[in-house]
Amino acid sequence: MENKEKDIKSLGTAFEVVTPAPAAPAPAPQGNVGGPLRGAVAKCGLGLLLALAGLLLPYGAPEFAVVKALAITVVSWQLLTLSMARVKPVNQVPLPLGAALAIASGALGIMKAGDTGVGLIGGAAAVLGGLLSIAGPAMAKKADSKLPPAAQDSPVDDQFSKSLLAYLLILAFLPMSWANGEGSTGVATYLGALTFVFCVLGAWASWVGMWKMWQMPAVSTGFVGLALFLAPLEAFLVGALGLVRVLGGDSAPADFLKAWPGNGAQDFVQYGVPPLVVLLAACLATFELVQGAKKGMASNKQKKDAEIEARKAERAARRGDQKPA
């Protein structure tokens, strides 16, 4: 009742009633960004996963462990870059290189399994997985023909992809036997152990850089950036010393490291290939690192030149405005 006795004040003509805007709709789920999953991709990827599981089991042919290590590396790299373990969707299947290596490694393990059966299950899984990966596209051809045309796969950074392959090779072959004595692996020395640590960081940095993920600023700066430069150099040094150790035997000059006991020159295939692969992988990682540095410097120069040209154009425009009409 008291409100009726009070005058109502006018708010004027500038008053406006503001209605709150409706809330933005929730974003659509991103689970099917790359379109329907193709049967060829699924079967090929699952075959590689099965082969990898078999390769990680005990092996029945230790004299051919280099074949197993190479198969593990290539299969893992293809899964991470070209198949089911990618960050972004994939529509094309990878070349059957990893599957062929898995079949070869598994077959050698089965043949050398002997009466104890060590490596039989792993060898069989590697062979079956490799066969499934190769036959996957043909098995799924009819079902995939009913799907819409496949979209182009999202590209990966080629430099970081090759760097990832190099670091995976180093990580696979460093822990192998580099001589026939006890404790004679590639990580039995201080240098080898440090190389392994730095190459783990290098592999992670390559994985991040390959997809330009949110952790990218940590890759090019600080300790990880330093590791990217040191890892290939360390791998080159430890691989070269290990190779000299195998070729030179007990008289090799690398003996001053007191590492890799035993007669290293006994079997080059079993003890010489691991350091050789580490050496070659270090060369690949170094090459990709130098190429990436050159591209980065060229890109920075282009940005700097563009900024200089933009400032020149802005100053010229200001001088033109100040001239009398």
Side-chain angles (χ1 to χ4, degrees):
M1 296 297 293
E2 294 179 356
N3 292 336
K4 291 182 178 180
E5 298 177 359
K6 294 182 179 180
D7 296 334
I8 299 176
K9 296 181 180 180
S10 174
L11 298 176
T13 58
F15 176 75
E16 180 181 0
V17 178
V18 178
T19 305
Q30 300 295 316
N32 205 20
V33 176
L37 176 62
R38 300 184 176 273
V41 173
K43 287 181 172 57
C44 180
L46 292 175
L48 290 177
L49 287 170
L50 178 60
L52 181 61
L55 292 169
L56 293 175
L57 287 172
Y59 195 51
E63 63 271 29
F64 295 109
V66 292
V67 181
K68 174 184 174 181
L70 184 60
I72 290 175
T73 303
V74 176
V75 168
S76 301
W77 180 71
Q78 287 190 321
L79 280 169
L80 291 170
T81 59
L82 306 169
S83 189
M84 298 285 277
R86 278 170 55 108
V87 170
K88 297 180 181 179
V90 61
N91 290 306
Q92 282 78 33
V93 297
L95 295 175
L97 176 60
L101 288 171
I103 293 172
S105 176
L108 289 172
I110 292 174
M111 289 189 297
K112 297 289 184 176
D115 298 334
T116 60
V118 175
L120 186 61
I121 300 298
V127 171
L128 290 176
L131 291 175
L132 175 60
S133 180
I134 293 175
M139 295 169 60
K141 184 176 181 180
K142 183 176 180 181
D144 286 349
S145 64
K146 301 177 183 178
L147 299 175
Q152 187 69 25
D153 289 345
S154 300
V156 299
D157 188 287
D158 187 62
Q159 177 220 334
F160 280 110
S161 175
K162 292 177 181 177
S163 296
L164 177 62
L165 175 61
Y167 288 123
L168 290 177
L169 284 169
I170 295 172
L171 293 176
F173 283 85
L174 261 181
M176 297 182 65
S177 295
W178 288 23
N180 63 351
E182 292 294 331
S184 57
T185 64
V187 293
T189 64
Y190 292 119
L191 179 60
L194 286 174
T195 301
F196 190 88
V197 171
F198 276 81
C199 286
V200 169
L201 294 174
W204 173 81
S206 300
W207 167 252
V208 171
M210 191 170 61
W211 301 107
K212 299 296 184 288
M213 298 167 69
W214 62 272
Q215 307 98 323
M216 191 63 189
V219 170
S220 56
T221 59
F223 179 69
V224 178
L226 178 63
L228 281 175
F229 282 91
L230 291 180
L233 300 177
E234 292 178 343
F236 182 88
L237 182 58
V238 72
L241 291 174
L243 191 60
V244 170
R245 174 71 178 87
V246 173
L247 295 176
D250 294 332
S251 60
D255 278 347
F256 75 92
L257 289 176
K258 304 298 182 183
W260 307 309
N263 181 12
Q266 182 182 11
D267 187 351
F268 182 80
V269 173
Q270 188 170 359
Y271 302 122
V273 172
L276 177 61
V277 171
V278 169
L279 179 65
L280 295 177
C283 293
L284 174 60
T286 303
F287 175 78
E288 294 300 328
L289 183 65
V290 172
Q291 291 296 107
K294 288 182 178 179
K295 290 180 181 178
M297 292 174 62
S299 178
N300 290 335
K301 186 177 183 302
Q302 289 178 355
K303 290 180 181 178
K304 188 175 181 180
D305 292 342
E307 291 175 357
I308 293 174
E309 292 298 327
R311 288 196 295 269
K312 287 181 178 179
E314 184 179 355
R315 287 195 296 268
R318 286 200 301 266
R319 286 196 297 268
D321 293 340
Q322 293 174 358
K323 288 181 180 180

